[in-house]
Amino acid sequence: MSERSTSPAHNPERIVLVGYGPVAARFVEGLLPLVRRGAATLTVVGTENTDAYNRVLIAEHAVGNADRDSLQITDTFAAREAGVHLHLGMTVTAILRSRCAVSLSDGTLLTYDRLVLATGARANIPTLDGIIRVRRDRQMPAADAAALDASGATLPRGVTVLRNLDDAQRVLAAVTAGKRIVVLGAGVLGMEIALAAASAGAQSCVVYHGEIPMNRNLDRGGGTVLAQSARRAGVTMVNHSRAESLLFHQDDDGVDRFDALICADGKQIHGDLLLLSCGIGARTELAQLAGLPVSTGILVDSNLQSWSDPRIYAIGDCAHVAPVRRAGESTALPTGGPSGLIGPGWRQADWLARRFSNEVLGTGEVHALIGAAAAVVMLKAEGVEVVSVGNTAADPWDHGADEHAAACDAALLNVAQWADPEHGRYVKMVTRAGILEGFVCVGMPRSAAELTLLFERGSELPADRSVLLRYDGPDYEPSVGGAFDPGATVCWCNGVTAGAIAESAEVGNTSVACIGAATRAGTGCGGCKVRIGEVLERFATSGATS
């Protein structure tokens, strides 16, 4: 039991949560039983003046494929009814650790027994002539929510990022009008928005410095096939292009508006809207100004507690989980960092809510938070399916001429590849002693599902890897132990299995939307919705023939 635990009848635990994004909303839901019974008070401070929504699906909203209601992920009314105090449209301007309090932009002072930081991340702004960058580590947080990101250095007209609803409205206006959108950056989000915009009727162009798109997740073969598939879908792909500056023209009111992106080799790439998709960075300024250790995120231990203050916790995109550095140990920055994915953040929120509840009520210990497994990265785009997980960097020709040494080393990495660029298909499987350590799948969703299951279970691949290609063939019939096995994970964001979906279907949840409402499957990144539909179809077929 926590040494700060008190009798809930006389002195409820005061919990303050900074942030009201999807991870914070999940934490709120987990604490509602504790709040309802009066054992704790929960106060939430959110910078946006709106209910929490799923930022992961913001690209779909920005092209008109998802309305605002479909982004809803929490019941704010239920939270208020339970007694949660919500301060929306406000920012925390300082953490006063000596007083166990935070000050708000309206002058309110909130005291806490436990402070949870779920401040998330903001879009990275690249160094470009024509855009003023902000050094937030030298500035106090602004009192206004919008100024917290801009700090007086707003983006030029015609330039945007894609992190919130206002950003999405700017993109949607360009898409609806059939404008030309230039996306700088070819990561997952950049590719998703470019493909979605092209599908919705806009002109889209992706500019990136490297040779291939999604180079953090894909190898050269997979990235090349993805680029070809994107071009077929109507997206202009401009690689080997280092952006240096912006060219402007003046609107009728005399204000400069984006006209073209200028690259180091002199190329001018014209467009109506420049979308910066250059990664994200954790919002750490509040923690840093309060003297808390930070690296690529707010440094917390395996209990999600700050390295230097046991009353302060961090979850989600702002949390960098790393072992506490002891006296005399290396001063090098900790490795790793925030995952940037919704699934790990939700698991942290669920675990921390359980821990708080158990400690406050004295109902026993909570199992240790399981470290993040290798992330399953999915590109969500109509007709262009990409899945990548684990170690994908190995090359099949790395062994060189020493074939005898390779044959004698059973633990050596082995790589199997298959490519059909003409039809946008590519598979790469990396194994060690026959066990799958990572794979890339482009344009082969069924093979990706089977390989994901094999990776999850640590199963040995068949000696003849080519048999795995049959899953995307016309005569494919899933096996009992395959991707439709009850234990196979379908939704990685929420850890929902095929068996759980089938059980939910048995009680009447026979659509993807109903499954999402009942199990949360498909409510994260949305990349598993096709798989959910396949499981439901298989359930319906087996039910009809049983």
Side-chain angles (χ1 to χ4, degrees):
M1 184 173 177
S2 169
E3 60 185 10
R4 295 193 302 276
S5 297
T6 57
S7 171
H10 302 291
N11 192 11
E13 191 88 351
R14 298 166 301 173
I15 302 170
V16 173
L17 173 64
V18 181
Y20 196 44
V23 171
R26 186 70 159 254
F27 178 75
V28 171
E29 288 182 18
L31 275 189
L32 288 186
L34 192 67
V35 175
R36 287 192 180 103
R37 65 187 298 168
T41 62
L42 176 60
T43 305
V44 182
V45 184
T47 58
E48 292 185 78
N49 194 17
T50 183
D51 293 347
Y53 56 90
N54 190 349
R55 297 182 191 277
V56 184
L57 300 180
I58 200 75
E60 294 189 24
H61 182 55
V63 298
N65 291 339
D67 59 22
R68 173 64 179 86
D69 290 342
S70 68
L71 303 185
Q72 200 75 22
I73 55 173
T74 192
D75 189 341
T76 300
F77 176 79
R80 292 186 188 276
E81 194 174 44
V84 176
H85 305 285
L86 291 168
H87 297 263
L88 302 182
M90 294 198 183
T91 60
V92 172
T93 57
I95 301 172
L96 311 174
R97 291 169 56 194
S98 62
R99 301 171 61 181
C100 290
V102 295
S103 61
L104 306 189
S105 50
D106 67 350
T108 301
L109 197 67
L110 301 175
T111 56
Y112 63 81
D113 296 307
R114 308 182 195 222
L115 174 65
V116 180
L117 301 177
T119 48
R122 60 168 57 84
N124 288 332
I125 305 299
T127 301
L128 296 172
D129 186 19
I131 293 180
I132 301 174
R133 293 196 66 189
V134 178
R135 295 187 62 86
R136 295 185 180 83
D137 56 339
R138 298 184 180 180
Q139 299 185 16
M140 292 295 292
D144 175 70
L148 182 62
D149 280 337
S151 295
T154 57
L155 291 173
R157 188 178 289 181
V159 180
T160 189
V161 295
L162 186 55
R163 288 295 291 174
N164 60 36
L165 295 173
D166 290 339
D167 299 333
Q169 287 303 310
R170 283 188 283 273
V171 176
L172 182 60
V175 170
T176 304
K179 300 289 187 179
R180 180 172 171 81
I181 300 173
V182 178
V183 180
L184 180 58
V188 177
L189 178 61
M191 290 303 300
E192 284 183 354
I193 190 64
L195 286 161
S199 178
Q203 305 171 61
S204 62
C205 170
V206 180
V207 181
Y208 50 107
H209 176 56
E211 179 182 9
I212 60 169
M214 290 180 61
N215 61 355
R216 292 187 178 182
N217 312 109
L218 303 181
D219 66 327
R220 184 170 179 266
T224 301
V225 172
L226 170 59
Q228 291 182 355
S229 298
R231 290 187 180 100
R232 291 193 189 99
V235 178
T236 302
M237 302 292 291
V238 185
N239 65 350
H240 294 304
S241 297
R242 183 186 293 276
E244 284 196 339
S245 60
L246 305 185
L247 188 66
F248 298 96
H249 67 264
Q250 283 194 340
D251 279 343
D252 293 340
D253 58 2
V255 177
D256 285 346
R257 175 181 288 276
F258 167 75
D259 184 65
L261 185 68
I262 303 176
C263 299
D265 60 1
K267 284 196 297 287
Q268 292 187 9
I269 303 171
H270 290 265
D272 301 296
L273 180 70
L274 174 63
L275 174 57
L276 304 175
S277 184
C278 304
I280 59 174
R283 297 174 185 264
T284 61
E285 57 273 4
L286 269 177
Q288 189 171 16
L289 289 168
L292 299 174
V294 301
S295 179
T296 55
I298 302 167
L299 287 166
V300 293
D301 61 18
S302 59
N303 291 319
L304 303 177
Q305 287 176 292
S306 167
W307 276 17
S308 63
D309 192 329
R311 292 180 179 271
I312 299 179
Y313 303 76
I315 55 177
D317 283 347
C318 70
H320 182 170
V321 181
V324 178
R325 182 184 297 135
R326 307 298 177 185
E329 292 184 347
S330 169
T331 57
L333 291 176
T335 59
S339 71
L341 299 173
I342 191 69
W346 275 346
R347 286 189 284 276
Q348 289 176 353
D350 290 340
W351 181 87
L352 193 61
R354 286 196 303 270
R355 180 186 169 186
F356 279 16
S357 297
N358 284 17
E359 288 183 345
V360 170
L361 300 175
T363 54
E365 296 295 326
V366 177
H367 293 299
L369 177 64
I370 299 175
V376 177
V377 178
M378 299 181 182
L379 175 69
K380 306 182 297 297
E382 185 177 350
V384 184
E385 302 90 358
V386 179
V387 180
S388 173
V389 62
N391 170 23
T392 63
D395 186 272
W397 317 115
D398 281 346
H399 303 328
D402 194 359
E403 296 180 4
H404 176 71
C408 293
D409 187 356
L412 196 64
L413 285 175
N414 284 285
V415 182
Q417 285 178 298
W418 180 81
D420 179 13
E422 181 183 357
H423 299 97
R425 293 182 166 195
Y426 176 84
V427 177
K428 176 181 181 179
M429 296 165 275
V430 181
T431 58
R432 188 185 299 275
I435 306 301
L436 188 63
E437 287 205 346
F439 70 88
V440 173
C441 256
V442 181
M444 300 188 70
R446 290 173 174 173
S447 296
E450 295 286 343
L451 286 169
T452 301
L453 176 65
L454 291 170
F455 178 84
E456 179 185 13
R457 294 180 172 177
S459 301
E460 186 170 349
L461 265 61
D464 181 3
R465 309 287 196 260
S466 66
V467 301
L468 296 169
L469 302 176
R470 75 182 190 278
Y471 294 122
D472 281 283
D475 300 323
Y476 167 66
E477 285 293 336
S479 62
V480 175
F484 292 96
D485 182 83
T489 300
V490 174
C491 175
W492 283 79
C493 293
N494 288 290
V496 182
T497 64
I501 293 171
E503 289 175 4
S504 184
E506 284 182 349
V507 297
N509 298 309
T510 55
S511 70
V512 174
C514 290
I515 290 295
T519 69
R520 287 178 168 157
T523 62
C525 72
C528 61
K529 288 185 177 180
V530 173
R531 285 272 292 121
I532 295 171
E534 291 176 347
V535 173
L536 289 174
E537 183 179 354
R538 183 169 175 79
F539 171 81
T541 302
S542 61
T545 58
S546 61

